[in-house]
Each structure stands twice: as C-alpha cells, then as structure tokens.
Amino acid sequence: MTIRVMLVDDQVLLRTGFSMVLAAQPDMEVVAEAGDGVEALQVLAATAVDVVLMDVRMPKLDGVEATARICARPDAPKVLILTTFDLDEYAFSGLKAGASGFMLKDVPPGELLAAIRSVHSGDAVVAPSTTRRLLDRFAPMLPNTAQEPGSDRLQRLTDREREVMLLVAQGLSNGEIAARLVLSEATVKTHVGRILTKLDLRDRVQVVVLAYETGLVRAGGHG
C-alpha cells in the first residue's frame, strides 16, 4: 500500500527537500503540498491523504489550529508536527490538538521515513520519551485534573490495562512493556489496542496526553 503524504510548510525549499526524500521511497507518494494552514484545509477537502507533515509556525492559519480542524474530520489523516526545537510549546499544543507525534525539522531522513510509516500503521508512537519530556515541561499548563471528567474514563480499564497504560505514558515501547510485565509482545499490543478502543483514543501519543490530564502520571514523576 502506498502512503499518501501531504507536506504543509511555508518554506518551499524545505518542502522540496522532504518531497525528494519521500519520492525515492517505493511505498510513499507526495500527493499534495500547502504553504499555510488555510491552503492545507482547502487541499485536503479535495485530496485523499494518509499522513500530513505539518509545520507549526505559518502565516494565515498556524499548524496547531490546522491540526485541530483536520483531526476533527471523520476519517482524518494522521498528522505529524514538524518543529524546530525539541521542547516546543507549539509541539505540545499540536499533540493536544490531535497530532500523532512530532519530529524535528533536521531529523535524519531514515528517522523521518520510519516515523511516517509508524504513524500510518498506528502501531507505534514517534519518540515517546521525547513526548514525555515535552509533557513534563508543559503539564503545569494542563487544567486541574481533580475535576477532570477524563479520569472517569479510566474506570473502563482493567487493572492490567491501567498498568500497561501507565508504562506507555512513561515512554516504554511494547517490547519494553512486555519485558517489564513478563508478557509476550503480542499480548501487550492487544492490551494497547483495547486501551485505545475503550478510551476512544487514536494512538499512543493520545494515551500519554490523557495519562497526564487525568493525573495517572505526574509531571516529572511516574504516577
């Protein structure tokens, strides 16, 4: 299956560079480009896209708001935020808006391609440890979780699923969780799938965000 990618960035040279890297892959195709969020939404209305590479700082409509509008659509494509800095409040806002992860703009080509494939498959999260560092830094911006309705959602989980969710939120991969809990990796993957379904989440990044919002994980701590 060919992964249909859209590039959204106000820097033409950067889009051209990414496009060249992606075009060389047998399983990827750049089907659309846009220079700002407004144009991205217009193009998406008429183009089938699987993964959007989204810059955050753009004129007219920034990448965070564009991401929120895209992710609110039925059958929305996955969104990967592109940021200049490792710990960027824009990337945090992008994750809150529904992005599946974020990458640095100077990411090595191999890592970018792996991230696109991972996000497309829904199997993994982009740099969960980096996502966790980001949340540790910006978690104080989250609302007081004591009255958060999201905490009630966790009651839907079994004790084992809650345990797996906590480890996902700490940035562990399926393999690392399997080793920690003495389970097979396939079993962990099944648990993660059930967590996503029960909590109505799109991917592992949203698991991490919800874990912080509900207080399952505290900033700088392990829950």
Side-chain angles (χ1 to χ4, degrees):
M1 178 187 295
T2 300
I3 303 172
R4 298 164 297 192
V5 181
M6 179 179 187
L7 306 176
V8 184
D9 197 294
D10 59 346
Q11 298 180 47
V12 177
L13 279 177
L14 190 140
R15 294 204 311 266
T16 301
F18 280 161
S19 184
M20 289 174 64
V21 171
L22 270 56
Q25 304 304 305
D27 61 339
M28 294 185 192
E29 179 185 5
V30 176
V31 295
E33 295 186 22
D36 60 68
V38 172
E39 185 182 0
L41 292 171
Q42 292 171 343
V43 173
L44 273 174
T47 310
V49 174
D50 298 312
V51 178
V52 178
L53 294 185
M54 177 74 74
D55 186 23
V56 282
R57 307 184 193 200
M58 297 181 294
K60 297 183 182 178
L61 185 68
D62 67 40
V64 173
E65 180 59 29
T67 295
R69 296 188 192 183
I70 289 170
C71 292
R73 297 181 174 192
D75 299 322
K78 299 294 180 68
V79 178
L80 260 178
I81 293 287
L82 294 173
T83 180
T84 307
F85 304 104
D86 193 3
L87 291 175
D88 187 334
E89 67 273 18
Y90 289 94
F92 172 80
S93 299
L95 294 180
K96 290 280 292 173
S100 295
F102 68 95
M103 302 296 294
L104 299 180
K105 284 192 175 182
D106 60 356
V107 62
E111 289 185 25
L112 175 66
L113 297 171
I116 292 171
R117 292 184 180 105
S118 292
V119 165
H120 178 251
S121 71
D123 232 6
V125 65
V126 180
S129 57
T130 305
T131 300
R132 187 168 185 279
R133 289 204 310 276
L134 184 80
L135 285 166
D136 273 348
R137 176 169 173 178
F138 293 106
M141 298 179 186
L142 292 170
N144 184 344
T145 59
Q147 288 80 38
E148 277 294 293
S151 57
D152 295 336
R153 295 163 66 185
L154 301 187
Q155 302 302 319
R156 306 172 192 171
L157 303 180
T158 65
D159 289 343
R160 176 64 91 186
E161 288 164 353
R162 193 182 177 99
E163 195 174 12
V164 170
M165 179 177 178
L166 177 61
L167 295 176
V168 169
Q170 291 174 17
L172 275 65
S173 67
N174 283 355
E176 290 167 336
I177 294 172
R180 180 79 63 90
L181 300 180
V182 196
L183 300 170
S184 72
E185 197 165 336
T187 298
V188 172
K189 187 173 180 180
T190 298
H191 282 310
V192 172
R194 287 175 179 162
I195 291 167
L196 295 176
T197 300
K198 287 184 177 182
L199 300 182
D200 193 27
L201 302 174
R202 292 184 63 188
D203 51 45
R204 293 169 69 109
V205 168
Q206 291 196 340
V207 171
V208 179
V209 173
L210 183 65
Y212 274 78
E213 288 181 323
T214 57
L216 183 64
V217 171
R218 299 293 183 184
H222 289 181

